[in-house]
Amino acid sequence: MNDPKKLFLIDGMGAMGTASLLLLLPVLFPGIFGLPDSYTNLLGGIAVCFAIYSLYNYVTFNPAKWKPLLKVISIANAVYCVISLGILLLHFQQITTIGWLYFMGEIAIIMLLVLWEMKVSSPS
């Protein structure tokens, strides 16, 4: 699928899922990821911002201006993955097995999305 409008929707819904998991799971299950709450709140807050950006671009989709907007979220997603990995490495000893599985899975999925977004937004 090379429909950029649907990519904004997929990105936005994924970011909403990430935000929900990062902001709610540690409240319901303290220590589930093994990270201090400040880090899960930070990553969850970033995900909220990404969700707003992508869903806004989905709703207000402009066929003449979508490429740079898709590149922005693609780069932002890649930076988010680097930040997440840095936080994991900073707290290597504290991360639970669930935390490693969650974050490694999330990074893998987001990086696949980044590659897909970059491919779609590249000059034809």
Side-chain angles (χ1 to χ4, degrees), residues 41-121:
N41 289 338
L42 171 68
L43 294 172
I46 293 169
V48 168
C49 294
F50 287 7
I52 291 167
Y53 177 88
S54 291
L55 294 173
Y56 175 81
N57 283 307
Y58 171 75
V59 171
T60 64
F61 187 76
N62 183 338
K65 297 183 180 181
W66 65 267
K67 279 190 180 190
L69 297 172
L70 190 60
K71 282 189 182 189
V72 165
I73 195 61
S74 179
I75 292 166
N77 281 330
V79 170
Y80 175 88
C81 289
V82 171
I83 291 169
S84 295
L85 191 55
I87 290 170
L88 290 174
L89 294 175
L90 184 65
H91 295 280
F92 184 82
Q93 299 291 331
Q94 298 169 255
I95 307 299
T96 64
T97 301
I98 291 172
W100 281 112
L101 290 171
Y102 172 79
F103 285 105
M104 290 296 103
E106 179 183 73
I107 288 169
I109 291 167
I110 293 172
M111 288 310 296
L112 287 173
L113 182 61
V114 165
L115 294 172
W116 189 11
E117 290 169 338
M118 286 298 218
K119 180 180 177 190
V120 171
S121 65

Side-chain angles (χ1 to χ4, degrees), residues 4-25:
K5 184 175 181 180
K6 285 186 182 168
L7 269 176
F8 282 118
L9 179 60
I10 291 167
D11 193 288
M13 296 301 286
M16 282 179 46
T18 291
S20 297
L21 290 171
L22 290 174
L23 296 173
L24 293 176
L25 283 180

